[in-house]
């Protein structure tokens, strides 16, 4: 804390310097040959500057302003005039920033940054956006709607596109119907057909300004204007850049622009914000117009860009050919005239590349640090292998494990016998046998005296795990409990109490497993299924329920490599890429409206030969809002009109659990020949005899879902076929998805294509799905840069695991201030 006396002293001294600097600078605006003569003759300013700097240091010893001024005025008296002028300008700009008045705690925000001399240069990520000139409390609230809360957020609010307004035309050369830019001088201005509200201030008619150059005249028109402001702005003889859509109007066919963009013009003007250069067009929020957004962003760049110091080493910048951070931000928001608009719009410039690299780099740096932190954690007990439970379980299996399953089990066992908690991702295609591997892992934990938990993304999947594991567990004498939102009060309470007392060996559920009030006596292992529907914070909450518990994450469908590097970048990865022996390829065909009889014929022939069939529909009941066929309606039609000789069953999500189970069991036992179903069968009882599936309105399903559904057949020895029934109209994305499904059965290939088609946000399902919230980077478009950033980040952490050396400390600070919250970093490990 600084004393009031010191603060007053600082402010007084700064004002004193500012007054002197202002007097020095005042003649700069006079355009004459001897404008700067007094600068040339000023031979003894440097000693005076040193005196002021010394007094500043006496007021507050650690003084950033004093350091800045000392740099600017060192050797000042011996500099050439041009350099003196630049130093004076820089000094004034610096002092203005440091002498801004802090906003009052109550009342209207001034829009100026709260500072004190000793600690003014905070990171822009720590400075509230309300302190940017022209923002204030109300605009800050509106900016928060588009996730702009700090100055750094504002600097990273990149233009969506750019308009080249640098191409100036003479008025005689402008074209009606086009957006044009010209320089015009006001020859006449005033209201036309006006009526005024509130003492004549707000005009309800039209305010008209005539702009002229040597070749012609253009009329600018404004509605809903303030007369006093317009009269003051548009005085005869004033010259402006003018930009907007031109049209011909009236009998005289006069050029006019309604609400043109205008900007003051002086001879030799460059670097204009709105007109006269390459103009950025930003994404907006309610209550902020484009012009104001541009002004705000430019203000942030001008005021705060010097607060950002380069944090990457010169060696890395040179080796990777990266732009300097200050240059990148300046040029993105104010591109030089002549820049390639296509590259700017596609974010392919060297300046965009720098920001994209940084986003990936700091994400990967956080993941690398978290992984390093996990390595430093120590488990309380080393697991012992070869217990009776695991041996009995493997002996009960009616099939032989694949080599890939054995390999992954070995990797997991190595984790469990190390002194560091496991943090592993298990990937594999539909039906590859991940569940067996997961249950084997649970048994190792239980054998060593621990409890285990399984968290699934949906209640259907949680129930499926419960049924699978309960049948195995009961044979082995284990107690397994299900936690879900639909449980009745008494049953739920009993389960929670049993988990707390250690009576439950395995707890299975959705997010209910991590709710407050669910306590484990000794949680040793957590298995998270379909992790890409869970955020990192949820993963951490589950982990914290056990002391350094082991984590195994498995996904129902493969995750593309780029996503694995971002969402799971801190995990070790195991992959099962071998299907169980005896699995035969599934033939996939695509049929359209007229092909429906053919599809029914295929189903009839297969069922007649002893096979069973699924027919999948997207909806449960006909809806007035949709033309999709519904399972309930079509089941009756199929049973009566199409397959009268076969037993047709129905299962859908609105049925009670017991009813669903009964239908699925009947289908598995061969009592139902054709099962009409919704996507509830994405997960379900294995039916090895099911050999044909028809998916109605396949164009409406996602790729991952189609692949998951197709995985319900082909689990036995019969040749299997999947029929995709599509109906027009079909979107381009729909066509791409269907093409991919007919091309491949490789889940990894399909996942990559799904990511390309849908983008990362939709691929993962929700905004909170664990995907980092990138402002600039795109994991599909920028895959190569992601790999480069990951390599560099992990190299640095390997070299300095805690980022404590002077070279890497700035990276740690930036990660903590600017990225930790946004990327949910640093919460685990």
């Amino acid at each position: 804390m600084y004393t009031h006396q010191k603060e007053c002293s600082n402010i007084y001294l700064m004002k004193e310097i500012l007054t002197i600097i202002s007097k020095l600078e005042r003649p700069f605006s006079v355009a004459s040959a001897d404008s700067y003569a007094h600068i040339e003759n000023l031979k003894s300013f440097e000693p005076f500057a040193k005196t002021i700097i010394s007094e500043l240091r006496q007021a507050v010893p650690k003084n950033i302003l004093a350091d800045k001024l000392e740099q600017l005025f060192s050797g000042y008296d011996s500099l050439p005039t041009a350099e003196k002028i630049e130093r004076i300008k820089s000094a004034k700009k610096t002092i203005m920033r440091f002498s801004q008045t802090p906003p009052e705690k109550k009342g209207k925000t001034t829009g100026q940054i709260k500072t004190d001399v000793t600690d003014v240069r905070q990171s822009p990520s720590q400075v509230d956006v309300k302190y940017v000139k022209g923002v204030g409390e109300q605009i800050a609230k509106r900016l928060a709607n588009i996730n702009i809360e700090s100055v750094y957020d504002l600097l990273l609010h990149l233009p969506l596109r750019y308009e080249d307004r640098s191409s100036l035309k003479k008025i005689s050369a402008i074209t009606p119907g086009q957006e044009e830019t010209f320089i015009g001088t006001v020859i006449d201005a005033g209201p036309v057909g006006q009526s005024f509200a509130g003492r004549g201030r707000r005009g309800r008619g039209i305010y008209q300004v005539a702009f002229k150059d040597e070749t012609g005249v253009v009329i600018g028109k404004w509605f809903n204007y303030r007369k006093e402001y317009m009269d003051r702005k548009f005085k005869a003889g004033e010259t402006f850049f003018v930009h907007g859509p031109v049209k011909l109007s009236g009998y005289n066919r006069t050029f006019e622009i309604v609400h043109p963009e205008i900007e003051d013009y002086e001879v030799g003007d460059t670097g204009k914000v709105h007109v006269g250069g390459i103009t950025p067009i930003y994404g907006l929020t309610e209550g902020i117009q484009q012009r104001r957004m541009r002004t705000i962003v430019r203000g942030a760049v001008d005021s705060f860009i010097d607060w950002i110091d380069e944090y990457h080493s010169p060696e890395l910048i040179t080796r990777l050919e990266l732009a300097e951070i200050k240059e990148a931000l300046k040029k993105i928001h104010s591109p030089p005239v002549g820049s390639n608009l296509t590259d700017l719009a596609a974010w392919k410039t060297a300046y965009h590349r720098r920001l994209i690299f940084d986003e990936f780099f700091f994400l990967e740096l956080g993941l690398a640090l978290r992984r390093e932190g996990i390595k430093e954690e120590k488990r309380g007990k080393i697991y012992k292998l070869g217990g009776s439970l695991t041996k009995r379980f493997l002996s009960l299996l009616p099939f032989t494990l694949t080599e890939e399953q054995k390999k992954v089990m070995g990797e997991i066992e190595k984790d469990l016998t190390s002194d560091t908690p496991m943090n592993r991702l298990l990937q594999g295609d539909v039906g590859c046998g991940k569940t067996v591997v997961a249950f084997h892992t649970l048994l190792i934990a239980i054998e060593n005296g621990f409890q285990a938990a399984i968290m699934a993304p949906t209640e259907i999947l949680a129930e499926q795990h419960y049924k699978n594991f309960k049948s195995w567990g009961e044979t082995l004498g284990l107690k397994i409990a299900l936690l879900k939102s639909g449980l009745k009060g008494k049953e739920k309470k009993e389960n929670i109490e049993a988990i707390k007392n250690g009576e439950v060996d395995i707890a299975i559920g959705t997010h209910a497993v991590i709710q407050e009030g669910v306590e484990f006596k000794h949680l040793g292992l957590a298995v998270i299924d379909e992790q890409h529907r869970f955020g990192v914070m949820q993963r951490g909450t589950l982990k914290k329920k056990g002391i350094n518990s082991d984590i195994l994450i498995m996904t129902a469908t493969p995750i593309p490599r780029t996503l694995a590097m971002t969402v799971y970048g801190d995990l070790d990865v195991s992959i099962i890429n071998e299907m169980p022996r005896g699995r035969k390829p599934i033939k996939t065909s695509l049929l359209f409206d007229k092909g429906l009889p053919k599809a029914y014929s295929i189903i009839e022939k297969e069922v007649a030969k002893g096979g069973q069939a699924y027919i999948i529909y997207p909806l449960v009941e006909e809806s007035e809002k949709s033309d999709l066929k519904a399972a309930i309606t079509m089941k009756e039609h199929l049973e009566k009109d199409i397959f009268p000789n076969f037993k047709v069953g129905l299962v859908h999500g609105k049925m009670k659990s017991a009813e669903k189970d009964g239908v699925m069991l009947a289908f598995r036992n061969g009592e139902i020949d054709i099962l009409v179903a919704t996507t509830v069968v994405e997960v379900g009882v294995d039916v090895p005899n099911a050999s044909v599936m028809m998916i109605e309105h396949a164009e409406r399903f996602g790729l991952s879902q189609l692949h998951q559904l197709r995985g319900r057949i082909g689990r036995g020895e019969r040749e299997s076929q999947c029929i995709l029934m599509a109906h027009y109209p079909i979107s381009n994305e729909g066509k791409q998805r269907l093409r991919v499904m007919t091309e491949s059965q490789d889940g990894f290939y399909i996942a990559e294509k799904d990511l390309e088609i849908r983008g990362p946000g939709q691929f993962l399902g929700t905004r909170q799905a664990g995907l980092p919230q990138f402002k600039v980077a795109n994991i599909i478009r920028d895959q190569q840069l992601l790999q480069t950033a990951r390599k560099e980040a992990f190299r640095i952490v390997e070299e300095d695991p805690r980022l404590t050396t002077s070279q890497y400390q700035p990276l740690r600070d930036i990660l903590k201030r600017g990225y930790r919250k946004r990327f949910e970093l640093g919460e685990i490990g």
Side-chain angles (χ1 to χ4, degrees), residues 27 93 212 229 456 603 680 688:
K93 188 176 179 180
K212 179 182 183 298
Y229 170 80
I603 293 171
V680 70

Side-chain angles (χ1 to χ4, degrees), residues 615-633:
I615 299 179
I616 309 297
Y617 289 95
L619 291 183
V620 175
E621 294 175 337
E622 288 286 2
S623 168
E624 292 178 359
K625 297 179 181 178
S626 173
D627 62 348
L628 300 185
K629 295 174 181 177
I632 292 174
T633 305

Side-chain angles (χ1 to χ4, degrees), residues 213-249:
D213 69 5
E214 65 270 25
T215 68
V217 175
V218 174
I219 304 299
K221 292 183 176 181
W222 283 263
F223 303 93
N224 194 30
Y225 56 88
R226 289 189 177 275
K227 184 176 183 300
E228 290 179 3
Y229 170 80
M230 300 296 277
D231 288 345
R232 190 169 60 249
K233 180 76 175 176
F234 296 108
K235 294 179 179 177
E238 295 286 343
T239 302
F240 297 91
F241 286 106
V242 185
H243 173 88
V246 181
K247 66 177 183 178
L248 286 171
S249 178

